Amino acid sequence: MGGITTEEALCLVLQHTPVIQEKEQIQIANISGRVLAEDVKTVFDNPPFHRSPIDGYACRVADLTGASKEQPVCLKVLREIDAGDYSEEEVQPGQAVRIMTGAAIPPGCDCCVRQEDTDYGEERVQIYKAERPWGNYCFKGEDFKAGQVLLKAGRELGFVEAGVLAGMGVPKVSVYRRPRIAVLTTGNEVVQPGEPLAPGKIYDINQKLLAARLLELGVELCEARSVPDEPEQMAEALKKAAKEADLIVTTGAVSVGKKDIMHESLALIGAERVFWGIQVKPGMPTLFSDYQGIPVMSLSGNPFSALVITELLLRPMLAKMMRKPSLDLVRVQGTLADAFGKPSPSRRFVRAYWEKGTFHLPEGLNSNGVLASMVGCNCLLDVPAGSGALKPGDEAEAILL
C-alpha cells in the first residue's frame, strides 16, 4: 500500500464532494446551524413607530426649560400609554402622557423623561430635569428600514438571526437541506451497546462515535448500522445506502487482512477507487472511493484512527457540502507541557488539551485502539514527519476539535 499526503488526500476528496443544492422551508426556531438559501428582505420599518425606551413621561423639550428639583415644571397628564397601546392625539404645549417602555410615542412629543426625575403624578406631573431634543426617544426604523436585504443567502444562521427574523415578522425561511450521511461499520466481532458481550466480542464504538460527531457537525443520519464481514453483504449495504445518502462512511476492513473486505465490496458494485493509503499515523489505510457520484470514505476500524480522519477529511468535506466555513479546520500554536516519547518517522496526530497557549497530553495510552484517554482533549497535535521525541517546552501546532 502506497500513500499520499494528507493535503493531497484532502484535495482529492473535495474534488469528489458535492455541494447540496436542494432547499427546504423551516421554522425560524429551528434555524441554528443551517445555511440561508435565499436573501431575506424587510417589508416594513422596525420599530414600526417611534417608541419609548423607558418608563416615564413623553412630552415636549420646550416645556422643560429650566426644570430642576427646586423649580419643577408642572404638566397636565392626558393619559397613560402602555406597550401595545397607540394614540394619534397630538400632545400640546403644557401637556404630557404617562408612557411605559416600548410604548408608541404620540405626535407632538420630542422626548421622554424618566419617571425617577418626576413625582410620578397621574393627573399632573412635576418634572425635575430638563431633557435634550429626542432624548430617550427610539425612532421608527432605527433597527432596520423597509426594503433592506438584512440577511443574505449563504449566511450560517444562529440565535441572533432567529431574533432578527422574528423582528421582521418572518415565520419560516428557505435553507439548504442537511447532507444525508450513512454510517456502516464492519466486523463479526462487534455487538451493539446494551446487548450481552459474549466471549470474543466487543461493543461497536465507531458507529456511536461517528454518529455522534457527524450529528454534532450538523448532518442528517439516514442510516447507521453494522454489517457482517462478508463482501456481498457489504456490497448490498453500500448500494442500499447510496439510494439515499449524499456521503457514505464505513469503518474497518480497509487494510490487507483476510477479513478486510472493503476493497472487494467496493469492486463488486463498480465503485471507483480514488486513493488508498495516507502518509499519516493514525489513519494510514484510509480508502476513498466514488460510487455513482456518491463519495465513500472508508476509515480504519481503530476508534482513534477513525476520529482523526473524520476531523482531517470528513469535516472539510461537510464544510463544502453545507457551505459552512465554520467547520473549516482551525489551527493553534503553543508549547508542550508534557513529553511525548515516541519518534515520528511519518506525520502523526496526537490527542491533547490546549489552554492559554499550552498543550497538555493526557494520561493513559495514546494508541489507535484506545479512546478513553481522549476524554477531555480538545485538539490534535500535528507532529511533522521526521520528528524525534517531543520534550516539554517544544513548540507545537494543533487542530482544534
Side-chain angles (χ1 to χ4, degrees):
M1 177 173 55
I4 59 177
T5 67
T6 305
E7 287 74 18
E8 290 169 334
L10 179 57
C11 182
L12 287 169
V13 300
L14 291 179
Q15 289 176 17
H16 289 265
T17 300
V19 178
I20 301 299
Q21 302 295 335
E22 294 83 4
K23 305 171 185 178
E24 60 184 0
Q25 290 275 328
I26 63 170
Q27 297 284 344
I28 61 171
N30 302 321
I31 64 172
S32 288
R34 305 299 293 273
V35 175
L36 191 62
E38 298 173 359
D39 290 349
V40 182
K41 183 182 288 188
T42 59
V43 295
F44 61 88
D45 293 345
N46 192 51
F49 46 79
H50 306 310
R51 65 180 180 181
S52 173
I54 59 170
D55 292 337
Y57 296 82
C59 51
R60 300 159 55 91
V61 168
D63 288 336
L64 305 182
T65 302
S68 66
K69 188 71 174 178
E70 295 73 25
Q71 293 183 315
V73 167
C74 188
L75 302 176
K76 179 182 178 181
V77 179
L78 294 178
R79 67 182 59 82
E80 180 175 307
I81 302 179
D82 298 325
D85 294 340
Y86 191 80
S87 173
E88 294 184 351
E89 183 180 358
E90 185 170 350
V91 174
Q92 301 298 322
Q95 297 178 340
V97 296
R98 187 78 163 94
I99 198 162
M100 301 301 165
T101 301
I105 299 173
C109 298
D110 58 2
C111 72
C112 295
V113 177
R114 299 187 313 152
Q115 62 184 13
E116 294 89 342
D117 295 322
T118 75
D119 67 350
Y120 294 76
E122 295 186 4
E123 295 184 0
R124 300 189 68 83
V125 61
Q126 291 189 15
I127 297 178
Y128 306 133
K129 183 180 178 183
E131 188 54 75
R132 69 188 187 283
W134 314 114
N136 299 319
Y137 195 105
C138 294
F139 289 93
K140 175 184 177 181
E142 69 178 12
D143 190 359
F144 55 76
K145 301 287 188 183
Q148 283 184 259
V149 175
L150 214 55
L151 298 174
K152 293 185 177 181
R155 183 175 188 82
E156 186 174 343
L157 302 171
F159 65 93
V160 172
E161 288 78 10
V164 169
L165 290 163
M168 296 168 67
V170 175
K172 292 183 177 181
V173 289
S174 176
V175 297
Y176 293 105
R177 71 164 174 82
R178 291 189 177 102
R180 293 187 280 264
I181 314 298
V183 176
L184 305 175
T185 55
T186 66
N188 294 332
E189 77 279 12
V190 297
V191 297
Q192 295 305 307
E195 297 178 5
L197 196 62
K201 302 291 185 180
I202 60 172
Y203 285 120
D204 191 346
I205 294 172
N206 287 340
Q207 186 184 119
K208 308 308 178 189
L209 173 71
L210 290 174
R213 181 55 171 153
L214 291 169
L215 287 172
E216 193 174 59
L217 293 174
V219 312
E220 175 186 331
L221 280 181
C222 60
E223 186 176 17
R225 67 186 180 100
S226 180
V227 181
D229 284 329
E230 300 295 336
E232 293 78 9
Q233 290 193 47
M234 175 56 78
E236 287 302 313
L238 289 168
K239 287 195 291 185
K240 177 178 178 294
K243 293 177 181 178
E244 188 177 358
D246 302 299
L247 166 66
I248 301 171
V249 182
T250 74
T251 67
V254 291
S255 193
V256 293
K258 184 178 179 181
K259 286 294 185 178
D260 288 324
I261 62 164
M262 286 308 304
H263 306 279
E264 184 177 350
S265 299
L266 288 160
L268 284 172
I269 63 173
E272 172 199 354
R273 177 185 290 182
V274 180
F275 66 80
W276 176 38
I278 307 176
Q279 298 167 13
V280 69
K281 186 175 182 179
M284 183 181 64
T286 300
L287 170 65
F288 182 70
S289 312
D290 187 294
Y291 174 56
Q292 299 180 353
I294 307 297
V296 183
M297 180 70 74
S298 300
L299 309 175
S300 165
N302 289 315
F304 184 61
S305 175
L307 184 153
V308 167
I309 302 302
T310 294
E311 299 304 314
L312 297 183
L313 299 184
L314 281 178
R315 202 167 113 194
M317 289 179 74
L318 294 176
K320 179 181 177 181
M321 293 180 87
M322 295 192 283
R323 299 174 170 84
K324 290 179 66 170
S326 62
L327 296 185
D328 289 340
L329 303 183
V330 176
R331 291 181 171 271
V332 293
Q333 287 76 38
T335 56
L336 285 169
D338 308 295
F340 183 75
K342 296 180 181 179
S344 300
S346 60
R347 189 178 186 181
R348 183 195 298 269
F349 285 87
V350 178
R351 66 199 82 187
Y353 175 73
W354 180 77
E355 183 181 31
K356 297 179 180 178
T358 301
F359 294 110
H360 303 271
L361 303 186
E363 296 181 0
L365 294 176
N366 191 61
S367 63
N368 297 354
V370 170
L371 194 62
S373 60
M374 188 69 195
V375 173
C377 293
N378 63 1
C379 66
L380 298 172
L381 279 178
D382 189 351
V383 183
S387 298
L390 303 179
K391 307 179 297 299
D394 285 350
E395 296 293 320
E397 183 176 85
I399 293 171
L400 288 180
L401 297 176

